[in-house]
Amino acid sequence: MSPYAVTINPKIGYRRYGTIAMAGAAAMLVLLFVFAEGVSLIGTDAVPARNWRRLDSHQMLLRHQLNTLRESPHVVVFGTSRNNMLSPAYLNRPVLNLNYVYGTPREILKCLRALDPRQIRNIEKIYMLVDYHTLEKGRYPRELDLSFFAYARDAFRNFTLHRVRVALNTLAINLGMPYPYYVSGDGYVVPASADASTGFEVAQRFDRNFRLDAADELKELNGFLQQNKIPAVFYTPTLPTEIVQAFGEEFISRFTRALADALGGYYQLIYVPDISGNARNFSDDSHLNGAGYRKLHLETDWAKYLVTPASADERVAQLKAALWRK
């Protein structure tokens, strides 16, 4: 027998070996947890680092962004993944993209009400993408307790080995390895290829039953902004022609009128012919790529897409004529 062979000492019970093995596995998981969450905290106030490229968003990044807002004026962006690339490149101003809060009116209002007067004064303007799926009450709650304890508690509860992979990829991109995208410290996504397009197919079954019952919360949010004299631009996502058609006339009409009634005025951009009609402006079936962002934010006159309660029916008629009555 090899002198290096490992044998089980019969004087030590199997239970003890099992205990040692489980303790070793637990220690390894603890080390992986500390590693993953330590990397995730780089670039926040907990572990400051300038120009750090990250792959995730969480409460501590939001806390860092709101502290940045306390220091200097910024345009603030709320919304979904459909405007997470909105950055200074398109607005020509310092931008804080608070996509972590997401686009639910209730959560956005909760976030804004927690700001101090200095932070409120430093909001130059708000850009809010109003997505149809965020207008259902009870969807997409966000943890807005920005204490380190809350972050650690949630990180522990939700820890998986996927977090370790994210941490390894985060270190890799900061060492110069190529990656499809990264998230800046100000919250906006920066793609490696601005014009990436995957193509898409329209799903056979398409959900048209969004309740839009949070329109009253959207109206309350708008009232808060007006009361605090914060300029705001409300707008819808821009989608490919085939996707808008798949939603159908009834839903698009209901969505258009609900927003007009709640906001008084917004930009109905769900169908912009020069953008919606070309799949090369999208990275998939519902997200603009860099080419689409340039066309929408730098080359499109939004004024003609402004909808008010008085013009909602006219905009609905335009959409019906363009998309369903040919």
Side-chain angles (χ1 to χ4, degrees):
M1 184 176 70
S2 168
Y4 301 105
V6 177
T7 60
I8 297 178
N9 187 336
K11 295 182 179 180
I12 302 178
Y14 289 102
R15 183 175 298 177
R16 183 175 178 184
Y17 278 110
T19 301
I20 293 171
M22 287 189 293
M28 179 62 70
L29 281 175
V30 170
L31 290 174
L32 290 174
F33 172 80
V34 171
F35 166 73
E37 299 309 323
V39 171
S40 185
L41 287 171
I42 299 175
T44 71
D45 295 340
V47 187
R50 295 190 64 182
N51 302 318
W52 182 257
R53 299 180 175 189
R54 58 190 313 111
L55 295 175
D56 60 350
S57 295
H58 47 66
Q59 303 103 295
M60 297 304 287
L61 180 61
L62 177 61
R63 176 175 168 176
H64 169 70
Q65 292 174 302
L66 296 182
N67 285 338
T68 300
L69 181 62
R70 187 176 287 111
E71 296 170 2
S72 60
H74 284 76
V75 173
V76 173
V77 174
F78 292 103
T80 67
S81 60
R82 292 175 178 143
N83 74 335
N84 63 11
M85 284 170 50
L86 196 56
S87 70
Y90 305 105
L91 299 180
N92 296 312
R93 292 295 302 152
V95 169
L96 293 171
N97 194 315
L98 305 189
N99 228 259
Y100 170 78
V101 180
Y102 212 59
T104 306
R106 178 177 176 272
E107 305 301 317
I108 294 172
L109 185 55
K110 187 191 304 182
C111 176
L112 291 172
R113 282 177 169 162
L115 300 182
D116 62 38
R118 186 172 181 178
Q119 290 167 311
I120 290 288
R121 288 195 302 270
N122 277 339
I123 299 176
E124 291 185 355
K125 182 181 289 188
I126 284 178
Y127 276 76
M128 179 179 168
L129 183 144
V130 186
D131 227 329
Y132 43 84
H133 62 280
T134 63
L135 293 182
E136 288 199 343
K137 291 184 177 179
R139 277 199 178 196
Y140 312 111
R142 282 293 187 269
E143 176 58 77
L144 296 180
D145 181 343
L146 305 186
S147 67
F148 183 80
F149 172 78
Y151 168 80
R153 177 196 62 203
D154 293 342
F156 180 78
R157 287 176 178 174
N158 300 315
F159 179 71
T160 67
L161 292 180
H162 172 71
R163 296 288 295 160
V164 179
R165 185 171 63 181
V166 170
L168 290 171
N169 287 334
T170 299
L171 291 176
I173 64 173
N174 282 282
L175 292 173
M177 296 294 289
Y179 202 80
Y181 70 92
Y182 67 85
V183 180
S184 78
D186 289 332
Y188 48 83
V189 172
V190 180
S193 174
D195 301 327
S197 178
T198 61
F200 60 87
E201 294 181 1
V202 180
Q204 293 298 311
R205 299 182 63 183
F206 213 80
D207 191 347
R208 305 175 183 84
N209 298 316
F210 296 101
R211 296 190 305 271
L212 308 182
D213 59 343
D216 60 335
E217 295 175 347
L218 185 62
K219 185 174 183 178
E220 183 181 3
L221 168 61
N222 192 35
F224 175 88
L225 297 177
Q226 292 176 349
Q227 180 181 356
N228 287 275
K229 297 180 173 58
I230 302 173
V233 176
F234 293 93
Y235 64 106
T236 69
T238 301
L239 302 177
T241 302
E242 297 88 342
I243 300 299
V244 184
Q245 289 173 325
F247 273 116
E249 297 180 44
E250 189 279 332
F251 174 75
I252 296 300
S253 299
R254 188 160 54 90
F255 183 49
T256 300
R257 293 188 177 99
L259 266 59
D261 292 340
L263 297 171
Y266 75 103
Y267 296 98
Q268 175 50 291
L269 302 172
I270 202 161
Y271 172 71
V272 178
D274 292 343
I275 300 173
S276 300
N278 186 349
R280 294 180 64 85
N281 293 320
F282 297 86
S283 59
D284 57 28
D285 63 352
S286 64
H287 294 82
L288 293 169
N289 60 16
Y293 267 75
R294 283 197 302 272
K295 289 182 181 295
L296 181 64
H297 291 281
L298 302 179
E299 301 173 15
T300 298
D301 179 10
W302 285 27
K304 61 184 178 181
Y305 297 104
L306 179 64
V307 173
T308 66
S311 66
D313 289 343
E314 179 183 355
R315 179 60 174 148
V316 167
Q318 291 173 351
L319 290 169
K320 287 182 177 180
L323 297 166
W324 295 287
R325 296 180 183 175
K326 290 186 177 180

